[in-house]
Amino acid sequence: MKKLFKVSILLFIVFISHSIHAITLGEYEAKLNQYKAELNSNNAKINSTNTAIAAANNRINTINKEVNSLLKEKEVIIKEMEDNKVEIDSLKKKTKKLIEYYQMSQSGNFYIDYIFDSKDISTFIYRYSVVDQFLEYTKNTTKRLTDTINKQEQRQKDIINIQGKLANKKNELDNQLVKLGTDKAHLVEGGVSIKKQVEQYDEIVNYYKK
C-alpha cells in the first residue's frame, strides 16, 4: 500500500512537470536509461578520481622516502668531510713533526740541508729517496683528500637543489589531492541525486509494466 502511494505521488509529480503532453512508457524508459547512463558515468569518474588520489599518495610516499634517503646521504657526506679534514690536519702535523725530528727548522731549505748532510753516497741516495717519497705522498694524499672534499661539497649543493625540487613537487601533489578530494565530494553528492532519479523512474517503469 505504501509503495503504491509512493508511486502515485511520483506519477503525479511527473504528470505536473510534463502536463503539456501525456508521457508514454517509452519516454519513462528513455529517461530511466538516461539517468542510469549518467550514474554509470559519474561512478566511472569517481573511480578515476580514486585512482588519481591513490597515485598522488603513492608519489608523495616515494618523495618522502627520497627525502629521507637524501638526508641520510647528507649526514654521511658531512661525516666523511669531517674525517677527511681531520686526515689532512693530521698529515700536516706529521710533516711538521718529521721536519722537527731531523732538525731542519733552522735552515733556509730544510730538505736540501737534510739530503746534503749525508756522510756517503748511500746515505745521500737513501735520504733523497725518503724525502722524495714523503713529498710525493704528501702531495698526492693532500690532493686526493682536497678533491674528495670539493666533490662532497658539490654533492651537498646538488642534494639541496634536489630537496628543493622534491619539496615543490610534494607541494603540487598536496594541492592536487585537495582538488581531487573536492572533486570526489561533488561527484559523490551528484551521484546520490542521480541515484534517486534512477530509483524513482525505475519504480514508475515497473509500475506501468505490471
Side-chain angles (χ1 to χ4, degrees), residues 188-206:
V188 171
E189 183 179 355
V192 171
S193 176
I194 298 171
K195 187 177 180 181
K196 287 181 179 178
Q197 293 293 334
V198 170
E199 291 172 349
Q200 289 176 356
Y201 275 87
D202 191 49
E203 287 187 14
I204 294 172
V205 170
N206 289 333

mmCIF file with all atom_site columns, all heavy atoms in Angstrom, residues 188-206:
data_model
loop_
_atom_site.group_PDB
_atom_site.id
_atom_site.type_symbol
_atom_site.label_atom_id
_atom_site.label_alt_id
_atom_site.label_comp_id
_atom_site.label_asym_id
_atom_site.label_entity_id
_atom_site.label_seq_id
_atom_site.pdbx_PDB_ins_code
_atom_site.Cartn_x
_atom_site.Cartn_y
_atom_site.Cartn_z
_atom_site.occupancy
_atom_site.B_iso_or_equiv
_atom_site.pdbx_formal_charge
_atom_site.auth_seq_id
_atom_site.auth_comp_id
_atom_site.auth_asym_id
_atom_site.auth_atom_id
_atom_site.pdbx_PDB_model_num
ATOM 1   N N   . VAL A 1 188 ? 30.335 12.435 -5.574  1.00 0.00 ? 188 VAL A N   1
ATOM 2   C CA  . VAL A 1 188 ? 29.557 11.572 -4.676  1.00 0.00 ? 188 VAL A CA  1
ATOM 3   C C   . VAL A 1 188 ? 28.198 12.195 -4.398  1.00 0.00 ? 188 VAL A C   1
ATOM 4   O O   . VAL A 1 188 ? 27.159 11.517 -4.427  1.00 0.00 ? 188 VAL A O   1
ATOM 5   C CB  . VAL A 1 188 ? 30.318 11.325 -3.357  1.00 0.00 ? 188 VAL A CB  1
ATOM 6   C CG1 . VAL A 1 188 ? 29.426 10.629 -2.333  1.00 0.00 ? 188 VAL A CG1 1
ATOM 7   C CG2 . VAL A 1 188 ? 31.567 10.484 -3.614  1.00 0.00 ? 188 VAL A CG2 1
ATOM 8   N N   . GLU A 1 189 ? 28.207 13.499 -4.147  1.00 0.00 ? 189 GLU A N   1
ATOM 9   C CA  . GLU A 1 189 ? 26.950 14.211 -3.888  1.00 0.00 ? 189 GLU A CA  1
ATOM 10  C C   . GLU A 1 189 ? 26.036 14.146 -5.109  1.00 0.00 ? 189 GLU A C   1
ATOM 11  O O   . GLU A 1 189 ? 24.836 13.896 -4.999  1.00 0.00 ? 189 GLU A O   1
ATOM 12  C CB  . GLU A 1 189 ? 27.252 15.661 -3.531  1.00 0.00 ? 189 GLU A CB  1
ATOM 13  C CG  . GLU A 1 189 ? 26.017 16.477 -3.172  1.00 0.00 ? 189 GLU A CG  1
ATOM 14  C CD  . GLU A 1 189 ? 26.345 17.909 -2.802  1.00 0.00 ? 189 GLU A CD  1
ATOM 15  O OE1 . GLU A 1 189 ? 27.546 18.242 -2.732  1.00 0.00 ? 189 GLU A OE1 1
ATOM 16  O OE2 . GLU A 1 189 ? 25.410 18.699 -2.593  1.00 0.00 ? 189 GLU A OE2 1
ATOM 17  N N   . GLY A 1 190 ? 26.621 14.371 -6.300  1.00 0.00 ? 190 GLY A N   1
ATOM 18  C CA  . GLY A 1 190 ? 25.835 14.299 -7.535  1.00 0.00 ? 190 GLY A CA  1
ATOM 19  C C   . GLY A 1 190 ? 25.325 12.890 -7.786  1.00 0.00 ? 190 GLY A C   1
ATOM 20  O O   . GLY A 1 190 ? 24.214 12.699 -8.274  1.00 0.00 ? 190 GLY A O   1
ATOM 21  N N   . GLY A 1 191 ? 26.142 11.892 -7.424  1.00 0.00 ? 191 GLY A N   1
ATOM 22  C CA  . GLY A 1 191 ? 25.746 10.510 -7.604  1.00 0.00 ? 191 GLY A CA  1
ATOM 23  C C   . GLY A 1 191 ? 24.537 10.137 -6.778  1.00 0.00 ? 191 GLY A C   1
ATOM 24  O O   . GLY A 1 191 ? 23.666 9.377  -7.227  1.00 0.00 ? 191 GLY A O   1
ATOM 25  N N   . VAL A 1 192 ? 24.471 10.685 -5.562  1.00 0.00 ? 192 VAL A N   1
ATOM 26  C CA  . VAL A 1 192 ? 23.316 10.418 -4.692  1.00 0.00 ? 192 VAL A CA  1
ATOM 27  C C   . VAL A 1 192 ? 22.036 10.941 -5.338  1.00 0.00 ? 192 VAL A C   1
ATOM 28  O O   . VAL A 1 192 ? 21.002 10.273 -5.355  1.00 0.00 ? 192 VAL A O   1
ATOM 29  C CB  . VAL A 1 192 ? 23.521 11.073 -3.312  1.00 0.00 ? 192 VAL A CB  1
ATOM 30  C CG1 . VAL A 1 192 ? 22.240 10.982 -2.486  1.00 0.00 ? 192 VAL A CG1 1
ATOM 31  C CG2 . VAL A 1 192 ? 24.675 10.398 -2.572  1.00 0.00 ? 192 VAL A CG2 1
ATOM 32  N N   . SER A 1 193 ? 22.133 12.145 -5.916  1.00 0.00 ? 193 SER A N   1
ATOM 33  C CA  . SER A 1 193 ? 20.971 12.756 -6.572  1.00 0.00 ? 193 SER A CA  1
ATOM 34  C C   . SER A 1 193 ? 20.549 11.954 -7.801  1.00 0.00 ? 193 SER A C   1
ATOM 35  O O   . SER A 1 193 ? 19.348 11.700 -8.012  1.00 0.00 ? 193 SER A O   1
ATOM 36  C CB  . SER A 1 193 ? 21.303 14.195 -6.970  1.00 0.00 ? 193 SER A CB  1
ATOM 37  O OG  . SER A 1 193 ? 20.242 14.783 -7.678  1.00 0.00 ? 193 SER A OG  1
ATOM 38  N N   . ILE A 1 194 ? 21.528 11.555 -8.607  1.00 0.00 ? 194 ILE A N   1
ATOM 39  C CA  . ILE A 1 194 ? 21.217 10.782 -9.816  1.00 0.00 ? 194 ILE A CA  1
ATOM 40  C C   . ILE A 1 194 ? 20.616 9.429  -9.442  1.00 0.00 ? 194 ILE A C   1
ATOM 41  O O   . ILE A 1 194 ? 19.677 8.943  -10.089 1.00 0.00 ? 194 ILE A O   1
ATOM 42  C CB  . ILE A 1 194 ? 22.479 10.585 -10.673 1.00 0.00 ? 194 ILE A CB  1
ATOM 43  C CG1 . ILE A 1 194 ? 23.023 11.931 -11.149 1.00 0.00 ? 194 ILE A CG1 1
ATOM 44  C CG2 . ILE A 1 194 ? 22.180 9.696  -11.881 1.00 0.00 ? 194 ILE A CG2 1
ATOM 45  C CD1 . ILE A 1 194 ? 24.384 11.841 -11.827 1.00 0.00 ? 194 ILE A CD1 1
ATOM 46  N N   . LYS A 1 195 ? 21.165 8.811  -8.401  1.00 0.00 ? 195 LYS A N   1
ATOM 47  C CA  . LYS A 1 195 ? 20.669 7.503  -7.971  1.00 0.00 ? 195 LYS A CA  1
ATOM 48  C C   . LYS A 1 195 ? 19.204 7.585  -7.560  1.00 0.00 ? 195 LYS A C   1
ATOM 49  O O   . LYS A 1 195 ? 18.409 6.669  -7.832  1.00 0.00 ? 195 LYS A O   1
ATOM 50  C CB  . LYS A 1 195 ? 21.520 6.983  -6.813  1.00 0.00 ? 195 LYS A CB  1
ATOM 51  C CG  . LYS A 1 195 ? 21.181 5.553  -6.416  1.00 0.00 ? 195 LYS A CG  1
ATOM 52  C CD  . LYS A 1 195 ? 22.100 5.064  -5.309  1.00 0.00 ? 195 LYS A CD  1
ATOM 53  C CE  . LYS A 1 195 ? 21.754 3.628  -4.929  1.00 0.00 ? 195 LYS A CE  1
ATOM 54  N NZ  . LYS A 1 195 ? 22.617 3.125  -3.841  1.00 0.00 ? 195 LYS A NZ  1
ATOM 55  N N   . LYS A 1 196 ? 18.826 8.665  -6.910  1.00 0.00 ? 196 LYS A N   1
ATOM 56  C CA  . LYS A 1 196 ? 17.426 8.853  -6.517  1.00 0.00 ? 196 LYS A CA  1
ATOM 57  C C   . LYS A 1 196 ? 16.536 8.940  -7.752  1.00 0.00 ? 196 LYS A C   1
ATOM 58  O O   . LYS A 1 196 ? 15.424 8.388  -7.773  1.00 0.00 ? 196 LYS A O   1
ATOM 59  C CB  . LYS A 1 196 ? 17.281 10.122 -5.672  1.00 0.00 ? 196 LYS A CB  1
ATOM 60  C CG  . LYS A 1 196 ? 17.844 9.990  -4.264  1.00 0.00 ? 196 LYS A CG  1
ATOM 61  C CD  . LYS A 1 196 ? 17.644 11.275 -3.485  1.00 0.00 ? 196 LYS A CD  1
ATOM 62  C CE  . LYS A 1 196 ? 18.192 11.141 -2.067  1.00 0.00 ? 196 LYS A CE  1
ATOM 63  N NZ  . LYS A 1 196 ? 18.043 12.399 -1.292  1.00 0.00 ? 196 LYS A NZ  1
ATOM 64  N N   . GLN A 1 197 ? 17.025 9.635  -8.788  1.00 0.00 ? 197 GLN A N   1
ATOM 65  C CA  . GLN A 1 197 ? 16.258 9.744  -10.030 1.00 0.00 ? 197 GLN A CA  1
ATOM 66  C C   . GLN A 1 197 ? 16.100 8.367  -10.671 1.00 0.00 ? 197 GLN A C   1
ATOM 67  O O   . GLN A 1 197 ? 15.014 8.028  -11.176 1.00 0.00 ? 197 GLN A O   1
ATOM 68  C CB  . GLN A 1 197 ? 16.975 10.691 -11.005 1.00 0.00 ? 197 GLN A CB  1
ATOM 69  C CG  . GLN A 1 197 ? 17.033 12.146 -10.567 1.00 0.00 ? 197 GLN A CG  1
ATOM 70  C CD  . GLN A 1 197 ? 15.664 12.790 -10.551 1.00 0.00 ? 197 GLN A CD  1
ATOM 71  O OE1 . GLN A 1 197 ? 14.764 12.375 -11.282 1.00 0.00 ? 197 GLN A OE1 1
ATOM 72  N NE2 . GLN A 1 197 ? 15.478 13.791 -9.707  1.00 0.00 ? 197 GLN A NE2 1
ATOM 73  N N   . VAL A 1 198 ? 17.152 7.574  -10.655 1.00 0.00 ? 198 VAL A N   1
ATOM 74  C CA  . VAL A 1 198 ? 17.087 6.221  -11.223 1.00 0.00 ? 198 VAL A CA  1
ATOM 75  C C   . VAL A 1 198 ? 16.059 5.388  -10.475 1.00 0.00 ? 198 VAL A C   1
ATOM 76  O O   . VAL A 1 198 ? 15.222 4.697  -11.085 1.00 0.00 ? 198 VAL A O   1
ATOM 77  C CB  . VAL A 1 198 ? 18.469 5.532  -11.149 1.00 0.00 ? 198 VAL A CB  1
ATOM 78  C CG1 . VAL A 1 198 ? 18.349 4.047  -11.498 1.00 0.00 ? 198 VAL A CG1 1
ATOM 79  C CG2 . VAL A 1 198 ? 19.456 6.215  -12.092 1.00 0.00 ? 198 VAL A CG2 1
ATOM 80  N N   . GLU A 1 199 ? 16.096 5.464  -9.148  1.00 0.00 ? 199 GLU A N   1
ATOM 81  C CA  . GLU A 1 199 ? 15.160 4.686  -8.336  1.00 0.00 ? 199 GLU A CA  1
ATOM 82  C C   . GLU A 1 199 ? 13.713 5.113  -8.578  1.00 0.00 ? 199 GLU A C   1
ATOM 83  O O   . GLU A 1 199 ? 12.799 4.273  -8.671  1.00 0.00 ? 199 GLU A O   1
ATOM 84  C CB  . GLU A 1 199 ? 15.515 4.843  -6.850  1.00 0.00 ? 199 GLU A CB  1
ATOM 85  C CG  . GLU A 1 199 ? 16.838 4.162  -6.474  1.00 0.00 ? 199 GLU A CG  1
ATOM 86  C CD  . GLU A 1 199 ? 17.256 4.483  -5.059  1.00 0.00 ? 199 GLU A CD  1
ATOM 87  O OE1 . GLU A 1 199 ? 16.640 5.390  -4.442  1.00 0.00 ? 199 GLU A OE1 1
ATOM 88  O OE2 . GLU A 1 199 ? 18.213 3.850  -4.556  1.00 0.00 ? 199 GLU A OE2 1
ATOM 89  N N   . GLN A 1 200 ? 13.496 6.416  -8.689  1.00 0.00 ? 200 GLN A N   1
ATOM 90  C CA  . GLN A 1 200 ? 12.139 6.925  -8.913  1.00 0.00 ? 200 GLN A CA  1
ATOM 91  C C   . GLN A 1 200 ? 11.583 6.464  -10.265 1.00 0.00 ? 200 GLN A C   1
ATOM 92  O O   . GLN A 1 200 ? 10.458 5.940  -10.348 1.00 0.00 ? 200 GLN A O   1
ATOM 93  C CB  . GLN A 1 200 ? 12.152 8.454  -8.843  1.00 0.00 ? 200 GLN A CB  1
ATOM 94  C CG  . GLN A 1 200 ? 12.367 8.997  -7.436  1.00 0.00 ? 200 GLN A CG  1
ATOM 95  C CD  . GLN A 1 200 ? 12.465 10.512 -7.411  1.00 0.00 ? 200 GLN A CD  1
ATOM 96  O OE1 . GLN A 1 200 ? 12.438 11.164 -8.455  1.00 0.00 ? 200 GLN A OE1 1
ATOM 97  N NE2 . GLN A 1 200 ? 12.569 11.073 -6.219  1.00 0.00 ? 200 GLN A NE2 1
ATOM 98  N N   . TYR A 1 201 ? 12.388 6.650  -11.326 1.00 0.00 ? 201 TYR A N   1
ATOM 99  C CA  . TYR A 1 201 ? 11.919 6.258  -12.655 1.00 0.00 ? 201 TYR A CA  1
ATOM 100 C C   . TYR A 1 201 ? 11.836 4.747  -12.802 1.00 0.00 ? 201 TYR A C   1
ATOM 101 O O   . TYR A 1 201 ? 11.005 4.227  -13.557 1.00 0.00 ? 201 TYR A O   1
ATOM 102 C CB  . TYR A 1 201 ? 12.818 6.863  -13.733 1.00 0.00 ? 201 TYR A CB  1
ATOM 103 C CG  . TYR A 1 201 ? 12.421 8.266  -14.098 1.00 0.00 ? 201 TYR A CG  1
ATOM 104 C CD1 . TYR A 1 201 ? 12.915 9.368  -13.386 1.00 0.00 ? 201 TYR A CD1 1
ATOM 105 C CD2 . TYR A 1 201 ? 11.516 8.514  -15.135 1.00 0.00 ? 201 TYR A CD2 1
ATOM 106 C CE1 . TYR A 1 201 ? 12.549 10.664 -13.700 1.00 0.00 ? 201 TYR A CE1 1
ATOM 107 C CE2 . TYR A 1 201 ? 11.136 9.811  -15.466 1.00 0.00 ? 201 TYR A CE2 1
ATOM 108 C CZ  . TYR A 1 201 ? 11.654 10.881 -14.741 1.00 0.00 ? 201 TYR A CZ  1
ATOM 109 O OH  . TYR A 1 201 ? 11.256 12.162 -15.060 1.00 0.00 ? 201 TYR A OH  1
ATOM 110 N N   . ASP A 1 202 ? 12.676 4.036  -12.073 1.00 0.00 ? 202 ASP A N   1
ATOM 111 C CA  . ASP A 1 202 ? 12.625 2.576  -12.108 1.00 0.00 ? 202 ASP A CA  1
ATOM 112 C C   . ASP A 1 202 ? 11.303 2.078  -11.517 1.00 0.00 ? 202 ASP A C   1
ATOM 113 O O   . ASP A 1 202 ? 10.673 1.146  -12.035 1.00 0.00 ? 202 ASP A O   1
ATOM 114 C CB  . ASP A 1 202 ? 13.801 1.996  -11.335 1.00 0.00 ? 202 ASP A CB  1
ATOM 115 C CG  . ASP A 1 202 ? 13.946 0.502  -11.558 1.00 0.00 ? 202 ASP A CG  1
ATOM 116 O OD1 . ASP A 1 202 ? 13.926 0.076  -12.722 1.00 0.00 ? 202 ASP A OD1 1
ATOM 117 O OD2 . ASP A 1 202 ? 14.069 -0.236 -10.566 1.00 0.00 ? 202 ASP A OD2 1
ATOM 118 N N   . GLU A 1 203 ? 10.872 2.700  -10.447 1.00 0.00 ? 203 GLU A N   1
ATOM 119 C CA  . GLU A 1 203 ? 9.601  2.338  -9.822  1.00 0.00 ? 203 GLU A CA  1
ATOM 120 C C   . GLU A 1 203 ? 8.425  2.635  -10.752 1.00 0.00 ? 203 GLU A C   1
ATOM 121 O O   . GLU A 1 203 ? 7.482  1.847  -10.858 1.00 0.00 ? 203 GLU A O   1
ATOM 122 C CB  . GLU A 1 203 ? 9.426  3.083  -8.502  1.00 0.00 ? 203 GLU A CB  1
ATOM 123 C CG  . GLU A 1 203 ? 10.318 2.561  -7.381  1.00 0.00 ? 203 GLU A CG  1
ATOM 124 C CD  . GLU A 1 203 ? 9.988  3.216  -6.048  1.00 0.00 ? 203 GLU A CD  1
ATOM 125 O OE1 . GLU A 1 203 ? 8.910  3.849  -5.951  1.00 0.00 ? 203 GLU A OE1 1
ATOM 126 O OE2 . GLU A 1 203 ? 10.796 3.093  -5.117  1.00 0.00 ? 203 GLU A OE2 1
ATOM 127 N N   . ILE A 1 204 ? 8.484  3.794  -11.426 1.00 0.00 ? 204 ILE A N   1
ATOM 128 C CA  . ILE A 1 204 ? 7.402  4.169  -12.341 1.00 0.00 ? 204 ILE A CA  1
ATOM 129 C C   . ILE A 1 204 ? 7.305  3.185  -13.505 1.00 0.00 ? 204 ILE A C   1
ATOM 130 O O   . ILE A 1 204 ? 6.220  2.713  -13.869 1.00 0.00 ? 204 ILE A O   1
ATOM 131 C CB  . ILE A 1 204 ? 7.616  5.604  -12.873 1.00 0.00 ? 204 ILE A CB  1
ATOM 132 C CG1 . ILE A 1 204 ? 7.494  6.611  -11.721 1.00 0.00 ? 204 ILE A CG1 1
ATOM 133 C CG2 . ILE A 1 204 ? 6.613  5.930  -13.970 1.00 0.00 ? 204 ILE A CG2 1
ATOM 134 C CD1 . ILE A 1 204 ? 7.866  8.029  -12.104 1.00 0.00 ? 204 ILE A CD1 1
ATOM 135 N N   . VAL A 1 205 ? 8.470  2.858  -14.096 1.00 0.00 ? 205 VAL A N   1
ATOM 136 C CA  . VAL A 1 205 ? 8.502  1.919  -15.224 1.00 0.00 ? 205 VAL A CA  1
ATOM 137 C C   . VAL A 1 205 ? 7.981  0.550  -14.804 1.00 0.00 ? 205 VAL A C   1
ATOM 138 O O   . VAL A 1 205 ? 7.194  -0.070 -15.511 1.00 0.00 ? 205 VAL A O   1
ATOM 139 C CB  . VAL A 1 205 ? 9.922  1.824  -15.804 1.00 0.00 ? 205 VAL A CB  1
ATOM 140 C CG1 . VAL A 1 205 ? 10.011 0.664  -16.803 1.00 0.00 ? 205 VAL A CG1 1
ATOM 141 C CG2 . VAL A 1 205 ? 10.309 3.124  -16.477 1.00 0.00 ? 205 VAL A CG2 1
ATOM 142 N N   . ASN A 1 206 ? 8.427  0.093  -13.662 1.00 0.00 ? 206 ASN A N   1
ATOM 143 C CA  . ASN A 1 206 ? 7.972  -1.205 -13.157 1.00 0.00 ? 206 ASN A CA  1
ATOM 144 C C   . ASN A 1 206 ? 6.459  -1.217 -12.884 1.00 0.00 ? 206 ASN A C   1
ATOM 145 O O   . ASN A 1 206 ? 5.771  -2.212 -13.106 1.00 0.00 ? 206 ASN A O   1
ATOM 146 C CB  . ASN A 1 206 ? 8.728  -1.592 -11.891 1.00 0.00 ? 206 ASN A CB  1
ATOM 147 C CG  . ASN A 1 206 ? 10.174 -1.958 -12.170 1.00 0.00 ? 206 ASN A CG  1
ATOM 148 O OD1 . ASN A 1 206 ? 10.493 -2.400 -13.265 1.00 0.00 ? 206 ASN A OD1 1
ATOM 149 N ND2 . ASN A 1 206 ? 11.042 -1.756 -11.190 1.00 0.00 ? 206 ASN A ND2 1
#
